[in-house]
């Protein structure tokens, strides 16, 4: 079968011919119907050999940690899914037995690393291929009649902001403001989730005019350039209303500094983007009881919730589609920052 693989550190990903995987006991083979390209893949492929080695990912590795498909072959003992079922793959897989996993929070499984359990596409072979092997049937969430191409990104670009926002929900009361920094794959879904599940005024910041236009199209009340004037523009737009949460989908030094400067008392700065930064977080450096969080992906039950939002027509992902042969181009466009929404590869 064809698979898009990261083969060697520093080289662009390549389309390669690899064997179709055979499901072992408890495993499920899924025929991929769509796979999303995430900026985290670009981040991983941008690491130096030394940095990459710290992650311990074996190469070559098939990319793709957003995947949906149809159950194709079941390993011994698999009984909860049937061949032909349309499924979404839950990526941040854990041991399934610890306290966090018992709550469905496999994204925070403390044992996954020691057991060598890694998400498809981030340590084991992912969904940018004709078939993908899924470790356990509990990682398959029913997709039902949701369109695979339009909804595959909900497994990460939907689930991650949903989890980030849900944790801040008690603070996003009427009269408050939520700021989204970076209206890309994750950010444009975050804007919609904020509009749907909170009463907050939603302000988007980005460095690209096209992304600001997308932010407005998907429901941001205001959208401003992400620069030194942004804080002033936000104040002008909302008066004295409190910024109760900043969701930073970039999290590089300038955006973290901006986010900190926007916080009110008891507000949340939520760092979702994977950028290296330092911040002055001492008692007197920020408002009383403000919180800085760094959420990772989401829980199994939250994936079900976010798919329900889509089923109700309340969240939809902007997608640009690519074939597997065109997949390297999808990553080039992601790197360039010229995609509208998410790049989705259709094998
Ligand atoms: P993306 O490339 O689709 O979107 C990033 C957006 O940020 C783009 O619209 C870009 O124009 C904008 N941007 C760049 N610099 C900016 C700046 N200085 N100010 C404001 N906006 C700026 O990326 P994505 O796939 O949505 O991923 C976003 C980030 O989230 C990445 O860092 C990714 O690695 C990370 N991520 C984290 C998790 C997690 O679990 N914490 C999960 C998925 C992705
Ligand atoms: Zn991702
Ligand atoms: Zn666990």
């Amino acid at each position: 079968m064809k698979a898009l693989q990261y083969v060697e550190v520093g080289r662009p990903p390549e389309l390669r011919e690899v064997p179709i995987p055979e499901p072992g006991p408890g495993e499920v083979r899924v025929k991929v119907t769509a796979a999303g390209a995430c900026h985290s893949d670009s981040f991983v492929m941008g690491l130096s050999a030394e940095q990459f080695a710290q992650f311990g990912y074996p190469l070559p590795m098939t990319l793709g940690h957003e995947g949906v498909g149809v159950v194709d072959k079941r390993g011994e003992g698999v009984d909860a899914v049937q061949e032909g079922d349309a499924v979404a793959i839950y990526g941040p897989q854990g041991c399934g037995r610890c306290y966090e996993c018992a709550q469905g929070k496999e994204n925070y499984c403390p044992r996954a690393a020691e057991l060598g359990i890694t998400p498809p596409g981030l340590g084991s072979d992912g969904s940018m291929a004709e078939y993908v092997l899924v470790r356990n049937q509990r990682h398959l969430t029913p997709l039902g009649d949701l369109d695979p191409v339009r909804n595959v990104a909900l497994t990460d670009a939907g689930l991650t902001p949903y989890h980030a926002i849900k944790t801040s929900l008690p603070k996003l009361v009427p009269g408050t403001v939520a700021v989204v920094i970076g209206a890309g794959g994750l950010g444009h879904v975050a804007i919609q989730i904020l509009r749907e599940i909170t009463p907050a005024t939603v302000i988007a910041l980005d460095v690209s005019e096209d992304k600001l236009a997308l932010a407005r199209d998907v429901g941001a009340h205001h959208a401003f350039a992400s620069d030194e004037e942004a804080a002033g523009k936000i104040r002008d737009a909302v008066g004295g209303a409190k910024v109760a949460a900043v969701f930073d989908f970039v999290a590089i030094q300038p955006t973290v500094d901006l986010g900190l400067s926007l916080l009110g008392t008891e507000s949340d700065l939520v760092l979702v983007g994977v950028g290296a930064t330092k911040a002055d977080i001492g008692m007197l450096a920020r408002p009383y009881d403000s919180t800085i969080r760094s959420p990772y992906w989401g829980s199994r039950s939250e994936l079900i919730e976010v798919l329900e939002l889509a089923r109700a027509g309340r969240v939809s992902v902007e997608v640009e589609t690519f074939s597997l042969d065109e997949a390297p181009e999808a990553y080039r466009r992601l790197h360039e920052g010229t995609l509208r929404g998410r790049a989705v590869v259709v094998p």
Side-chain angles (χ1 to χ4, degrees):
M1 66 169 183
K2 282 184 193 172
L4 184 75
Q5 294 200 312
Y6 190 44
V7 181
E8 196 187 311
V9 173
R11 265 197 6 225
E14 292 165 34
L15 196 66
R16 302 174 88 214
E17 195 62 37
V18 300
I20 295 176
E22 269 305 306
E27 296 178 335
V28 182
R29 185 169 74 202
V30 171
K31 186 166 189 350
V32 178
T33 48
C38 178
H39 210 113
S40 299
D41 302 328
S42 294
F43 170 79
V44 167
M45 291 190 281
L47 296 171
S48 67
E50 199 184 352
Q51 293 164 326
F52 185 82
Q54 290 173 358
F55 284 79
Y57 296 170
L59 293 183
M61 174 183 80
T62 303
L63 293 166
H65 58 270
E66 292 182 342
V68 295
V70 173
V71 173
D72 179 66
K73 187 173 180 187
R74 299 178 297 168
E76 198 188 312
V78 172
D79 55 9
V81 291
Q82 308 293 324
E83 277 83 3
D85 285 357
V87 289
I89 300 168
Y90 174 77
Q93 303 170 4
C95 74
R97 298 179 61 90
C98 70
Y99 184 71
E100 280 77 8
C101 286
Q103 299 169 81
K105 297 179 188 170
E106 298 200 27
N107 50 326
Y108 295 146
C109 175
R111 299 197 60 219
E114 90 196 41
L115 295 171
I117 301 172
T118 50
L122 291 169
S124 36
D125 285 333
S127 297
M128 293 226 175
E130 291 170 72
Y131 297 90
V132 61
L133 215 50
V134 177
R135 197 169 278 116
N136 189 289
Q137 57 188 354
R138 74 174 185 277
H139 299 131
L140 298 173
T141 306
L143 189 64
D145 55 8
L146 282 177
D147 178 67
V149 175
R150 299 206 67 85
N151 292 286
V152 61
L154 294 176
T155 57
D156 176 21
L159 176 56
T160 301
Y162 185 77
H163 172 62
I165 292 164
K166 209 178 155 191
T167 315
S168 292
L169 217 46
K171 299 184 179 183
L172 293 165
V173 297
T176 60
V177 178
V179 176
V180 171
I181 305 181
L186 272 66
H188 91 287
V189 184
I191 292 164
Q192 299 174 60
I193 295 170
L194 283 163
R195 288 302 313 270
E196 286 298 332
I197 70 171
T198 84
T201 297
V202 179
I203 299 185
L205 305 177
D206 205 293
V207 288
S208 140
E209 265 310 318
D210 291 344
K211 310 285 181 139
L212 292 174
L214 172 61
R216 290 185 197 101
D217 289 349
V218 298
H221 293 98
H222 307 278
F224 302 127
S226 177
D227 56 22
E228 312 75 51
E229 290 165 32
K233 285 183 189 156
I234 292 172
R235 265 192 302 276
D236 290 347
V238 303
K242 173 157 108 176
V243 175
V246 176
F247 300 94
D248 188 345
F249 294 98
V250 187
I252 54 175
Q253 195 64 53
T255 64
V256 172
D257 290 344
L258 174 61
L260 275 170
S261 77
L262 295 172
L263 296 183
T265 53
E266 299 181 300
S267 296
D268 286 351
L269 176 60
V270 187
L271 305 177
V272 181
V274 185
T277 68
K278 292 188 165 56
D280 188 357
I281 56 164
M283 164 74 196
L284 299 177
R286 59 195 172 100
Y288 293 142
D289 243 349
S290 53
T291 302
I292 301 175
R293 301 198 288 111
S294 49
Y296 170 65
W297 225 325
S299 70
R300 279 171 51 206
S301 53
E302 286 168 339
L303 178 56
I304 294 174
E305 291 170 30
V306 90
L307 292 176
E308 287 301 337
L309 267 182
R311 207 163 273 127
R314 294 167 65 185
V315 166
S316 67
V317 185
E318 282 290 320
V319 298
E320 291 195 38
T321 54
F322 299 82
S323 66
L324 256 182
D325 296 286
E326 296 163 338
E329 172 66 8
Y331 279 105
R332 266 196 298 278
R333 294 273 312 283
L334 179 65
H335 185 70
E336 250 172 40
T338 55
L339 289 164
R340 182 177 160 95
R342 206 56 152 177
V344 172
V345 171
V346 186

